[in-house]
Amino acid sequence: MHVHRLSRARKAAGTALAVTALLGTAAAAGPAQAAPAAPPGAPAPAADCSAAYRIEQTLDGGTTWRMCWHYNTLSGLVLDKVTYQPKGEPKPIRVLNSARLAQVHVPYDDGENEYDDITGTDFGYALQDLKPAECPGGTVKTVKVPDRGNVKGLCTTTRARGHAYRLANDEGTKVWQAQGKDLLVYSVNKASWYEYITEWRFSSDGTITSNVGATGSLSPYDYNGGDSRGWPIGKGARDYAESHSHNVFWRLDFGLDGSTKNKVEQYDSTVTPPSGNGSPKTKTTRTAVKKELAGDAKALRWWRVVSTAGKNKDGHPRSYEIVPGHTAKFSGRPYTKHDVYFTQYAKCEKYASNNPTCATGAPTSVDKWVNGQTLTHPITWVNIGFHHIARDEDQQPMPVHWQGFSLAPRDVTAMNPLTPADLADQNGRPREGS
């Protein structure tokens, strides 16, 4: 049971604040300053926001990530104008116009409780203060939250991720290897007994990973799952924690190479069993997704968002592949039945369910926005589910359980952006003996 609904105190704060929250503007973070005009021929600025709302980090291999951020009173942290500039690229490459959480839908297995934690609780309002120890080696930024004031609630730091690559030559006389680092940007929001860690991770090879980690506490009001819909927690078989799902949605507005006119493609591979003494064969087909789509992940299927405005140095269009993490897809609601959605941009379509920002009477969930429109400015929605059947180890406090996805660069650069100098000439067929 979630006990923190949108509070009466917040509702009484005034119509202007309510409109600001629903529209998802940057008012909670303060005004961004306009960037000075660039001289003719100069690269476009990577982030035209004021210094307080700008994040910039150079990682191993010379890769630099730049972005702006603002805070939304419903969805919390929003990243804007995300660019990637690996070593050797003359200017930043725009990847995303914006990225945000779009819903955390929590239905309980007994059908008695169901919540939309982003738009139905104090999620954005309940941003948590982070102690320096929660942001090791990094900086805790101050966030302005209406009705609360300043909260030290945004961490930016770096973290080792292990091998970035490894290659040994055939003779075993030389090994090329590098250890990688990621830029991490995260905040913690409280929704009733749960605390959600919203994490964005940016790697030096151009990969973006987003995860939501659920921690905090099991609800003490939901130890009534003795009808085969719960798990015994504590001594004996007295307290049964009710099982439930966490269906997390993200909303991604790609702006590859500075343009919103991106293309979407779906790839499917089929395997033909061997004939006689032969080997199995695999054929991959590409389907252009020209109209809105509710997509289902399955074996050997994937999607990518493709730039129409830029190519890498090999002449290949830049793109990002959507790589969903493990999911437990929840079939109980139409909007949770699919793994990805591609919809035509509409300013008011911000939240995957219980969307409060469109006109009265308009559809309020992402599945209903897939209605046949041609994709000229596609918005990508990713849905990752987790079925939480509690265990003794979930108390107390609950260990973090993670769910998320990655965006993998595909032809964004002509070679691995971390390629060592003595292998830089090996673009194409590798030379023998390397």
Side-chain angles (χ1 to χ4, degrees):
M1 177 179 180
H2 285 44
V3 295
H4 297 300
R5 314 310 300 154
L6 289 172
S7 65
R8 294 179 183 177
R10 289 196 68 208
K11 290 179 181 178
T15 303
L17 175 59
V19 171
T20 297
L22 294 179
L23 292 179
T25 67
Q33 300 175 3
D48 55 356
C49 48
S50 62
Y53 304 106
R54 186 180 304 134
I55 298 171
E56 180 172 335
Q57 181 68 53
T58 299
L59 299 169
D60 50 293
T63 293
T64 301
W65 285 96
R66 299 177 179 90
M67 65 202 72
C68 299
W69 65 274
H70 73 268
Y71 195 79
N72 179 274
T73 48
L74 289 179
S75 58
L77 175 65
V78 181
L79 300 182
D80 303 302
K81 303 169 187 174
V82 178
T83 70
Y84 160 56
Q85 187 175 12
K87 184 179 180 180
E89 288 293 332
K91 62 181 181 180
I93 300 166
R94 175 70 69 88
V95 180
L96 293 164
N97 293 326
S98 69
R100 67 166 73 202
L101 269 185
Q103 194 55 271
V104 180
H105 170 246
V106 187
Y108 278 72
D109 283 18
D110 60 3
E112 294 185 8
N113 293 296
E114 181 177 8
Y115 304 102
D116 291 305
D117 278 351
I118 297 297
T119 54
T121 74
D122 286 335
F123 182 93
Y125 175 74
L127 179 68
Q128 301 296 289
D129 271 301
L130 297 178
K131 304 299 182 185
E134 296 184 80
C135 188
T139 301
V140 179
K141 294 178 176 287
T142 299
V143 181
K144 298 177 182 177
V145 180
D147 294 346
R148 287 189 58 197
N150 291 338
V151 178
K152 291 187 177 298
L154 176 61
C155 172
T156 61
T157 190
T158 58
R159 187 172 298 170
R161 72 171 185 278
H163 275 88
Y165 61 80
R166 189 185 190 280
L167 172 65
N169 65 2
D170 291 344
E171 295 78 19
T173 57
K174 184 167 183 176
V175 173
W176 293 271
Q177 72 86 31
Q179 300 296 300
K181 269 191 175 181
D182 294 339
L183 164 66
L184 267 67
V185 181
Y186 55 90
S187 59
V188 180
N189 294 79
K190 193 171 180 65
S192 186
W193 300 96
Y194 271 91
E195 298 188 18
Y196 293 107
I197 304 170
T198 304
E199 176 189 277
W200 294 90
R201 185 182 291 257
F202 302 89
S203 299
S204 51
D205 63 3
T207 301
I208 301 172
T209 301
S210 185
N211 287 300
V212 166
T215 181
S217 176
L218 294 169
S219 168
Y221 295 96
D222 290 305
Y223 279 82
N224 56 357
D227 53 356
S228 76
R229 293 187 173 91
W231 195 270
I233 301 295
K235 295 185 181 299
R238 180 183 61 188
D239 296 328
Y240 283 77
E242 191 74 50
S243 301
H244 53 280
S245 293
H246 298 259
N247 304 309
V248 180
F249 290 83
W250 291 258
R251 179 185 184 275
L252 307 170
D253 182 359
F254 282 89
L256 291 170
D257 293 299
S259 174
T260 60
K261 296 180 180 180
N262 304 294
K263 297 188 299 182
V264 177
E265 296 176 347
Q266 177 177 306
Y267 289 78
D268 289 279
S269 299
T270 55
V271 179
T272 303
S275 175
N277 294 325
S279 297
K281 294 182 179 180
T282 302
K283 182 178 181 180
T284 299
T285 58
R286 175 179 62 181
T287 302
V289 180
K290 297 183 178 181
K291 294 186 180 295
E292 293 174 315
L293 172 72
D296 297 304
K298 65 178 186 179
L300 301 180
R301 170 177 288 174
W302 54 278
W303 298 269
R304 70 169 181 159
V305 179
V306 188
S307 174
T308 60
K311 298 180 178 180
N312 67 19
K313 293 175 183 177
D314 283 346
H316 302 147
R318 294 189 176 103
S319 72
Y320 265 82
E321 178 181 343
I322 299 164
V323 185
H326 175 75
T327 186
K329 185 158 55 177
F330 180 78
S331 60
R333 290 291 182 186
Y335 48 84
T336 58
K337 288 183 178 180
H338 303 285
D339 301 293
V340 298
Y341 295 86
F342 298 100
T343 63
Q344 175 63 9
Y345 171 82
K347 185 178 181 180
C348 70
E349 294 173 359
K350 300 290 187 185
Y351 304 98
S353 65
N354 192 22
N355 181 67
T357 62
C358 291
T360 301
T364 60
S365 58
V366 65
D367 59 302
K368 293 182 172 61
W369 300 332
V370 178
N371 56 15
Q373 292 187 77
T374 299
L375 292 174
T376 58
H377 178 176
I379 298 298
T380 302
W381 307 77
V382 181
N383 169 30
I384 302 293
F386 175 79
H387 188 211
H388 190 183
I389 299 177
R391 54 189 179 144
D392 275 338
E393 289 87 349
D394 281 339
Q395 53 181 4
Q396 178 78 280
M398 187 193 311
V400 183
H401 57 78
W402 294 96
Q403 56 201 105
F405 69 98
S406 294
L407 300 173
R410 180 171 284 276
D411 307 335
V412 174
T413 52
M415 296 182 69
N416 180 348
L418 306 178
T419 296
D422 53 347
L423 296 177
D425 63 333
Q426 296 199 40
N427 183 13
R429 185 189 298 273
R431 64 173 180 257
E432 294 183 5
S434 62

